[in-house]
């Protein structure tokens, strides 16, 4: 919904929603999420990245859990992922600060490839209108 602010409350393991004037509306995910670190809202789906479980949770716009996918195919789990984005094909690009990598997972959560290189102090990732990767370092 336009104008809403979604906040990952990692310490209390929930998502809080506020209106555009920062008035509290509601919370969700309590008891379902474990250490939510980033959130994306696209059309009618809310995507939430959880660091503890290495999962992405899918909620509908009414804040009802629809499914979760486990991120698989990794030799070592991400220990300090902090941000993610979704490309036009539905792939998840997730930063891993400890290894200074961006890991690309399919829409089903399978590791497709790892982008590594000279990414000092990698913090976040986003995409431009042409799906070109923009790193926040």
């Amino acid at each position: 919904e336009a104008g809403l602010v979604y906040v990952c409350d990692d310490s209390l393991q929930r998502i809080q929603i506020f209106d555009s004037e920062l008035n509290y509306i509601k919370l969700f995910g309590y008891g379902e999420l474990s250490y939510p670190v980033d959130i994306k809202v696209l059309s009618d789906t809310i995507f939430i990245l959880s660091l503890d479980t290495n999962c992405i949770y899918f909620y509908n716009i009414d804040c009802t859990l629809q499914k979760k996918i486990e991120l698989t195919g990794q030799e070592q789990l991400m220990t300090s992922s902090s941000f993610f984005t979704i490309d036009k094909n539905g792939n998840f690009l997730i930063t891993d600060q400890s290894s200074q990598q961006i890991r690309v997972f399919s829409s089903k959560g399978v590791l497709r490839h790892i982008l590594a290189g000279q990414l000092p102090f990698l913090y976040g990732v986003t995409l431009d209108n042409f799906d070109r990767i923009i790193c926040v370092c």
Side-chain angles (χ1 to χ4, degrees):
E1 204 173 312
L4 295 181
V5 177
Y6 294 80
V7 177
C8 286
D9 187 346
D10 59 355
S11 62
L12 294 177
Q13 301 182 16
R14 63 187 182 181
I15 305 299
Q16 295 187 66
I17 303 174
F18 300 87
D19 67 17
S20 60
E21 308 224 342
L22 299 182
N23 296 305
Y24 173 81
I25 296 175
K26 67 178 175 178
L27 65 87
F28 70 97
Y30 187 75
E32 297 170 335
L33 294 172
S34 178
Y35 197 63
V37 293
D38 196 12
I39 187 169
K40 299 288 178 270
V41 181
L42 299 173
S43 354
D44 59 351
T45 304
I46 302 166
F47 301 91
I48 301 167
L49 174 63
S50 171
L51 180 59
D52 275 3
T53 60
N54 273 278
C55 290
I56 295 180
Y57 294 80
F58 295 63
Y59 285 82
N60 67 17
I61 207 69
D62 295 324
C63 304
T64 303
L65 180 62
Q66 299 300 297
K67 68 177 179 175
K68 74 175 183 176
I69 58 170
E70 184 177 346
L71 303 173
T72 62
Q74 306 176 76
E75 290 180 14
Q76 66 181 50
L77 294 177
M78 293 177 289
T79 56
S80 62
S81 55
S82 56
F83 292 99
F84 77 104
T85 193
I86 305 167
D87 70 14
K88 292 178 182 173
N89 295 318
N91 296 310
F92 298 99
L93 288 78
I94 303 173
T95 61
D96 185 12
Q97 292 175 317
S98 62
S99 65
Q100 297 296 292
Q101 299 174 340
I102 297 172
R103 298 186 188 193
V104 181
F105 295 88
S106 71
S107 60
K108 297 186 186 302
V110 178
L111 182 65
R112 299 188 88 177
H113 54 273
I114 296 174
L115 305 174
Q118 301 298 318
L119 301 172
F121 309 108
L122 177 64
Y123 190 68
V125 63
T126 191
L127 299 167
D128 68 9
N129 290 339
F130 301 101
D131 261 2
R132 293 181 293 207
I133 298 170
I134 300 170
C135 297
V136 180
C137 296

